[in-house]
Amino acid sequence: MAARGPRRLSAAAMAGFVRELERRGGPALRLEQRAAGGVGCVVWDAALVLAKFLETGACPLARRHVLELGAGTGAVGIMAATLGANVTVTDLEELQELLMVNIENNKHLVTGSVRAKVLKWGEDVTEFQPPPDYILMADCIYYEESLEPLLKTLKDLTGPDTCVLCCYEQRTMGKNPEIERKYFELLQTDFELEKIPLDKHDEEYRSEDIHIVNIHRKQTNFPS
């Protein structure tokens, strides 16, 4: 898969490193990364896979309200905004500067709209209501302690028609398999899951170990 590469660079090589993400419909996105600041400062492979999946047109995005959780560099949300969506990319306070830099660098490509806001999982989401049409998540399944806050945020944000697209890289090291198993087990209490087949992903930006899951709230879990 062409998406391989940036995560293997040393910290020294990463400083000031710009990742270009090619687009079908015009100039590439230019996404700044940071040598310091944690996992949110890098364009991960799952973000590339999800961004390019959006370009396939499988999900109509024009004029739709889109929210990205754990946006990091903003790659996925900014790509959605170039496809006509009205996007809010969210992450912690310390990622806002990087998000705003990348929004500014790519604003000439946006045909919808895009803004960055702070959203800490598990906390109040009133300002993000009404429920968006789409919630986008790429590689948000990292830490066991973040699973329940993330699930609370998903439940608080989703309406009966909200489509959640979760893209993640299946990892086999350490506690990763157990964390993934627990996440999807907890998720199925309130949500229905459907894996998107690999042949529906972008022809180039795909990998056997990177999965996209289409998630909807179970209708029985809404007040009648």
Side-chain angles (χ1 to χ4, degrees):
M1 185 186 73
R4 299 294 176 190
R7 63 184 176 188
R8 297 185 176 88
L9 290 174
S10 68
M14 186 69 76
F17 181 81
V18 174
R19 174 72 199 226
E20 288 201 349
L21 176 55
E22 60 194 39
R23 296 188 308 130
R24 299 181 182 191
L29 295 181
R30 290 180 55 81
L31 300 158
E32 284 198 23
Q33 303 176 102
R34 296 283 189 267
V39 295
C41 297
V42 181
V43 181
W44 291 87
D45 288 354
L48 299 175
V49 169
L50 184 53
K52 294 297 288 184
F53 171 73
L54 297 179
E55 274 200 311
T56 68
C59 302
L61 291 176
R63 296 180 297 281
R64 300 299 172 92
H65 176 200
V66 174
L67 186 72
E68 184 181 5
L69 297 179
T73 64
V76 179
I78 295 170
M79 178 67 89
T82 72
L83 298 168
N86 296 314
V87 182
T88 304
V89 290
T90 70
D91 213 311
L92 300 174
E93 179 68 46
E94 54 263 34
L95 273 301
Q96 295 300 303
E97 183 268 339
L98 180 58
L99 282 170
M100 288 188 279
V101 165
N102 283 330
I103 288 170
E104 180 66 23
N105 287 348
N106 296 284
K107 66 180 182 180
H108 59 294
L109 304 175
V110 169
T111 58
S113 64
V114 59
R115 61 177 182 163
K117 298 204 78 171
V118 175
L119 195 166
K120 187 174 182 181
W121 299 342
E123 297 190 354
D124 183 71
V125 297
T126 303
E127 67 174 303
F128 298 98
Q129 299 293 347
D133 298 302
Y134 291 94
I135 295 174
L136 307 176
M137 303 164 52
D139 256 349
C140 287
I141 314 166
Y142 277 124
Y143 307 115
E144 190 167 8
E145 59 270 23
S146 71
L147 294 186
E148 292 195 9
L150 173 57
L151 288 165
K152 180 183 186 307
T153 291
L154 281 176
K155 284 197 288 184
D156 291 347
L157 283 172
T158 47
D161 300 317
T162 303
C163 171
V164 182
L165 292 174
C166 173
C167 185
Y168 70 100
E169 181 169 353
Q170 193 168 7
R171 296 177 170 90
T172 58
M173 301 294 289
K175 293 186 68 177
N176 284 305
E178 174 63 20
I179 291 170
E180 287 174 14
R181 183 200 63 76
K182 182 178 179 181
Y183 172 71
F184 286 107
E185 186 177 278
L186 291 170
L187 194 63
Q188 289 179 75
T189 303
D190 296 287
F191 293 87
E192 295 175 344
L193 283 60
E194 179 186 4
K195 186 176 175 181
I196 295 174
L198 192 64
D199 63 6
K200 301 294 186 184
H201 297 200
D202 179 86
E203 290 181 1
E204 186 177 2
Y205 285 76
R206 62 169 67 171
S207 176
E208 293 283 352
D209 60 354
I210 297 180
H211 309 285
I212 304 175
V213 182
N214 190 333
I215 302 167
H216 285 86
R217 280 287 291 276
K218 290 180 178 177
Q219 298 303 306
T220 53
N221 288 338
F222 287 99
S224 57

